[in-house]
Amino acid sequence: MQHFPDARSVVRALAPDEPVILNRPHAAARAARFFVEKFPGRSLYAVKANPSPDLLQILWDNGVTHYDVASIAEVRLVRSVLPEATLCFMHPVKAPSAIREAYHQHGVRTFSLDSVEELAKIVDACRDEAGEPAQDLRLCIRLRVSSEYSELSLASKFGCDLTEAPALLQETRQHADWLGVCFHVGSQAMTPFAYVQALERVRAAIAEASVVIDMVDVGGGFPSVYPGMEPPPLEDYFQVIHQHFYNLPIAYNAELWCEPGRALCAEYSSLIVKVEKRRGDELYINDGAYGALFDAAHVDWKFPVRALEDDLIKPEMDFAFYGPTCDDADYMQGPFPLPEDIQAGDYFEIGMLGAYGAAMKTDFNGFGAAERIIVTDEPMASLYDGSRTRPEADNVVSLR
Ligand SMILES: *Cc1c(COP(=O)(O)O)cnc(C)c1O
């Protein structure tokens, strides 16, 4: 991969006609070290947020040893890039063939589930050649919890509720060498209280089931920083989680896990786009809803933008974007503030696309291409660049 100092130097050197993904390895490394050093337990990287092999290697090199995978393709990918990593198959609904391959060929021992049907599937798929059940399964019951404090809900699809959890915990304990409880509060949880509420649910389920619990996994949901979404410091989340974990009725040596996706990789990537046409306050650009801007189109996510031309001198105004495909839905309403005099042929940078951005690009309508380049400047915003001081600051982040 080519190296440049920043987006401007890329535009000056290459004047790219196709979008360019800018990767910042130092930002991902810094996020990984932050979780490894400060989270009071183990941090698994949720691979779906960005499965780039380069990123997986950076996280591994900076101390992330466990990976939350959700499909057999993710199992194979991480296994091929990181032969020694511990893989945890945390999708509660899996194909039997995926479970079989993960267990027998890739050394996966940890699986999540939210129903007795899935338990039976796992037990069956992991039998040895003589048909004997596996003795080393590490199973994790996914509880449904509220997503009310998060920007993106994960509350309706997976997880058993409190009326089902105790029986499922008791039944699963019979087949598991090691039993955990997991949940997901929804992505971009804007307050640590989201985890408090969820951990109270865990407490209720465990108390009712009265089984030995070896692990509690608080899932993902740790926020990054975007315009209009500036969360409290992550240390506050860690502290509250630790305190409530500590008070649970669990084995004295029980482990605490988390599964950050977004928080580990949002700062890793940004995108250079070119304006193809301007129509009033609408810019037609060369990436969009079927590219790295899926969330900007589908859930109105506000990503930060900055112009890359020196000759744009007017104050900013709000723009909406059209992506390159022929589909009307390829539209990002924003608003995205850019200089009033921006026009066709100009470039700008869209930041914080390392999570659920670069990973979502498709080839629909022939617009999937993007070069990848490493840059060394700071991401447009950071939770980890030392600009935030505790304890007095509750909303201090650097937004450039
Ligand atoms: C998506 C997902 C994550 C990561 O969520 P973030 O909000 O990106 O931190 C973690 N665990 C599971 C089970 C997920 O589905």
Side-chain angles (χ1 to χ4, degrees):
M1 243 188 280
Q2 298 189 72
H3 286 57
F4 282 89
D6 56 18
R8 278 173 191 260
S9 53
V10 173
V11 167
R12 250 182 263 125
L14 307 178
D17 270 339
E18 286 176 339
V20 177
I21 293 172
L22 304 178
N23 288 331
R24 292 174 175 79
H26 68 285
R30 186 168 63 187
R33 286 196 302 271
F34 185 94
F35 268 84
V36 168
E37 286 163 17
K38 300 200 173 180
F39 182 75
R42 190 183 293 293
S43 301
L44 285 67
Y45 173 55
V47 172
K48 79 167 184 288
N50 188 333
S52 141
D54 296 324
L55 174 63
L56 294 174
Q57 189 66 53
I58 293 165
L59 298 176
W60 173 264
D61 291 344
N62 286 278
V64 177
T65 55
H66 286 49
Y67 293 78
D68 160 6
V69 285
S71 60
I72 194 62
E74 286 184 356
V75 171
R76 292 174 190 148
L77 169 74
V78 183
R79 185 48 82 225
S80 72
V81 179
L82 305 173
E84 291 170 58
T86 301
L87 308 187
C88 304
F89 208 149
M90 303 306 272
H91 191 307
V93 185
K94 297 169 284 297
S97 61
I99 301 169
R100 210 174 299 126
E101 181 181 331
Y103 181 86
H104 293 288
Q105 291 180 38
H106 303 291
V108 178
R109 293 294 174 267
T110 307
F111 297 88
S112 83
L113 61 134
D114 63 3
S115 67
V116 284
E117 292 81 5
E118 187 74 9
L119 174 61
K121 229 196 265 174
I122 294 170
V123 168
D124 226 37
C126 299
R127 288 180 194 281
D128 67 14
E129 278 161 18
E132 292 301 317
Q135 300 298 316
D136 54 359
L137 285 176
R138 298 161 64 95
L139 301 180
C140 195
I141 303 298
R142 171 88 171 251
L143 270 189
R144 185 180 5 252
V145 300
S146 162
S147 271
E148 66 184 298
Y149 298 105
S150 302
E151 298 290 329
L152 283 175
S153 172
L154 284 162
S156 48
K157 191 167 182 181
F158 299 134
C160 61
D161 62 36
L162 273 182
T163 58
E164 309 156 324
L168 185 56
L169 280 165
Q170 287 162 353
E171 177 67 21
T172 305
R173 182 78 261 185
Q174 313 297 315
H175 303 276
D177 180 46
W178 180 95
L179 180 64
V181 178
C182 60
F183 57 79
H184 197 301
V185 298
S187 205
Q188 186 77 6
M190 291 302 290
T191 159
F193 190 66
Y195 296 88
V196 175
Q197 224 186 25
L199 284 166
E200 282 314 306
R201 222 168 240 242
V202 170
R203 165 194 295 287
I206 300 175
E208 179 81 21
S210 51
V211 292
V212 177
I213 297 295
D214 304 294
M215 187 277 279
V216 174
D217 175 354
V218 299
F222 297 94
S224 185
V225 53
Y226 305 89
M229 289 188 270
E230 293 164 30
L234 288 175
E235 286 97 331
D236 290 4
Y237 291 71
F238 296 175
Q239 195 212 324
V240 159
I241 288 167
H242 188 228
Q243 182 193 331
H244 287 261
F245 167 74
Y246 204 73
N247 289 323
L248 290 174
I250 47 182
Y252 75 96
N253 58 349
E255 297 173 40
L256 174 63
W257 287 14
C258 69
E259 304 167 350
R262 181 185 302 283
L264 283 178
C265 61
E267 299 179 19
Y268 178 56
S269 308
S270 64
L271 184 75
I272 295 174
V273 294
K274 186 177 184 185
V275 180
E276 305 285 10
K277 168 186 167 165
R278 174 169 174 180
R279 185 175 77 181
D281 60 1
E282 296 163 332
L283 301 179
Y284 292 62
I285 62 177
N286 56 358
D287 200 285
Y290 300 91
L293 300 176
F294 183 95
D295 280 348
H298 295 276
V299 291
D300 273 344
W301 208 267
K302 311 288 187 290
F303 294 98
V305 292
R306 67 179 163 202
L308 296 173
E309 319 285 334
D310 295 325
D311 59 350
L312 298 180
I313 43 161
K314 297 253 179 90
E316 292 184 336
M317 61 174 271
D318 287 340
F319 289 94
F321 302 152
Y322 276 110
T325 71
C326 303
D327 186 347
D328 258 12
D330 195 355
Y331 176 71
M332 284 68 53
Q333 109 176 6
F336 300 100
L338 284 163
E340 236 172 71
D341 45 349
I342 196 164
Q343 55 182 313
D346 287 339
Y347 293 91
F348 62 92
E349 183 179 7
I350 308 177
M352 311 303 284
L353 284 168
Y356 310 111
M360 311 281 272
K361 265 181 103 51
T362 74
D363 282 327
F364 177 54
N365 220 175
F367 291 104
E371 195 173 347
R372 285 169 164 74
I373 286 176
I374 289 178
V375 290
T376 50
D377 66 340
E378 282 297 303
M380 276 194 227
S382 181
L383 290 180
Y384 312 107
D385 65 359
S387 60
R388 301 146 57 81
T389 49
R390 295 188 70 241
E392 59 284 354
D394 54 18
N395 263 330
V396 182
V397 292
S398 69
L399 257 186
R400 276 178 286 272

